[in-house]
Short mmCIF file of all heavy atoms in Angstrom, two decimals:
data_model
loop_
_atom_site.label_atom_id
_atom_site.label_comp_id
_atom_site.label_asym_id
_atom_site.label_seq_id
_atom_site.Cartn_x
_atom_site.Cartn_y
_atom_site.Cartn_z
N SER A 126 -33.55 14.73 -122.28
CA SER A 126 -34.80 14.72 -123.05
C SER A 126 -35.36 16.14 -123.13
O SER A 126 -35.41 16.85 -122.14
CB SER A 126 -35.83 13.82 -122.37
OG SER A 126 -37.13 14.14 -122.84
N ASN A 127 -35.79 16.50 -124.35
CA ASN A 127 -36.34 17.85 -124.48
C ASN A 127 -37.76 17.95 -123.92
O ASN A 127 -38.37 19.01 -123.93
CB ASN A 127 -36.24 18.36 -125.93
CG ASN A 127 -36.89 17.43 -126.92
OD1 ASN A 127 -37.82 16.69 -126.56
ND2 ASN A 127 -36.45 17.49 -128.17
N GLN A 128 -38.28 16.85 -123.37
CA GLN A 128 -39.57 16.88 -122.69
C GLN A 128 -39.42 17.20 -121.20
O GLN A 128 -40.40 17.53 -120.53
CB GLN A 128 -40.28 15.51 -122.82
CG GLN A 128 -40.56 15.11 -124.26
CD GLN A 128 -41.40 16.16 -124.99
OE1 GLN A 128 -42.48 16.52 -124.55
NE2 GLN A 128 -40.85 16.69 -126.09
N SER A 136 -33.95 23.84 -123.32
CA SER A 136 -33.58 22.41 -123.38
C SER A 136 -32.14 22.26 -123.88
O SER A 136 -31.59 23.15 -124.53
CB SER A 136 -34.53 21.65 -124.31
OG SER A 136 -34.28 22.00 -125.66
N ASP A 138 -31.13 20.29 -126.18
CA ASP A 138 -31.18 20.34 -127.65
C ASP A 138 -31.11 21.77 -128.17
O ASP A 138 -30.36 22.08 -129.09
CB ASP A 138 -32.50 19.71 -128.17
CG ASP A 138 -32.45 18.19 -128.20
OD1 ASP A 138 -31.35 17.63 -128.31
OD2 ASP A 138 -33.53 17.57 -128.12
N TYR A 139 -31.91 22.64 -127.55
CA TYR A 139 -31.95 24.05 -127.99
C TYR A 139 -30.60 24.72 -127.73
O TYR A 139 -30.11 25.50 -128.55
CB TYR A 139 -33.09 24.76 -127.27
CG TYR A 139 -33.52 26.06 -127.91
CD1 TYR A 139 -34.56 26.11 -128.83
CD2 TYR A 139 -32.87 27.27 -127.59
CE1 TYR A 139 -34.97 27.30 -129.41
CE2 TYR A 139 -33.27 28.46 -128.17
CZ TYR A 139 -34.31 28.48 -129.08
OH TYR A 139 -34.70 29.67 -129.66
N ASP A 142 -28.39 23.26 -130.65
CA ASP A 142 -28.75 23.47 -132.06
C ASP A 142 -29.13 24.91 -132.38
O ASP A 142 -29.04 25.33 -133.54
CB ASP A 142 -29.93 22.55 -132.44
CG ASP A 142 -29.59 21.09 -132.19
OD1 ASP A 142 -28.42 20.72 -132.38
OD2 ASP A 142 -30.49 20.32 -131.77
N ARG A 143 -29.59 25.66 -131.38
CA ARG A 143 -30.04 27.02 -131.65
C ARG A 143 -29.12 28.07 -131.06
O ARG A 143 -29.11 29.21 -131.51
CB ARG A 143 -31.45 27.25 -131.13
CG ARG A 143 -32.47 26.29 -131.67
CD ARG A 143 -32.69 26.56 -133.17
NE ARG A 143 -33.94 25.97 -133.58
CZ ARG A 143 -35.12 26.59 -133.48
NH1 ARG A 143 -35.19 27.81 -133.01
NH2 ARG A 143 -36.22 25.98 -133.85
N SER A 211 -29.95 9.33 -126.62
CA SER A 211 -30.12 10.75 -126.98
C SER A 211 -28.84 11.52 -126.71
O SER A 211 -28.42 12.37 -127.51
CB SER A 211 -31.24 11.39 -126.16
OG SER A 211 -32.45 10.74 -126.39
N ARG A 218 -23.36 15.95 -132.09
CA ARG A 218 -23.64 17.26 -132.70
C ARG A 218 -22.65 18.31 -132.20
O ARG A 218 -22.18 19.16 -132.96
CB ARG A 218 -25.09 17.68 -132.42
CG ARG A 218 -26.02 17.10 -133.48
CD ARG A 218 -27.42 16.77 -133.05
NE ARG A 218 -28.11 17.64 -132.15
CZ ARG A 218 -29.02 17.20 -131.27
NH1 ARG A 218 -29.33 15.91 -131.19
NH2 ARG A 218 -29.63 18.05 -130.48
C1 NAG B 401 -36.86 16.53 -129.17
O1 NAG B 401 -36.31 15.23 -129.08
C2 NAG B 401 -36.75 14.33 -130.06
C3 NAG B 401 -36.21 12.97 -129.73
O2 NAG B 401 -34.82 12.99 -129.50
C4 NAG B 401 -36.30 14.84 -131.43
O3 NAG B 401 -36.78 13.99 -132.45
C5 NAG B 401 -36.84 16.24 -131.65
O4 NAG B 401 -36.30 16.77 -132.84
C6 NAG B 401 -36.45 17.15 -130.50
N1 NAG B 401 -37.09 18.43 -130.65
C7 NAG B 401 -36.39 19.55 -130.66
C8 NAG B 401 -37.21 20.80 -130.80
O5 NAG B 401 -35.18 19.60 -130.57
#
Side-chain angles (χ1 to χ4, degrees):
S126 161
N127 56 26
Q128 299 303 304
S136 72
D138 280 335
Y139 198 94
D142 303 325
R143 303 292 199 86
S211 300
R218 273 149 39 211

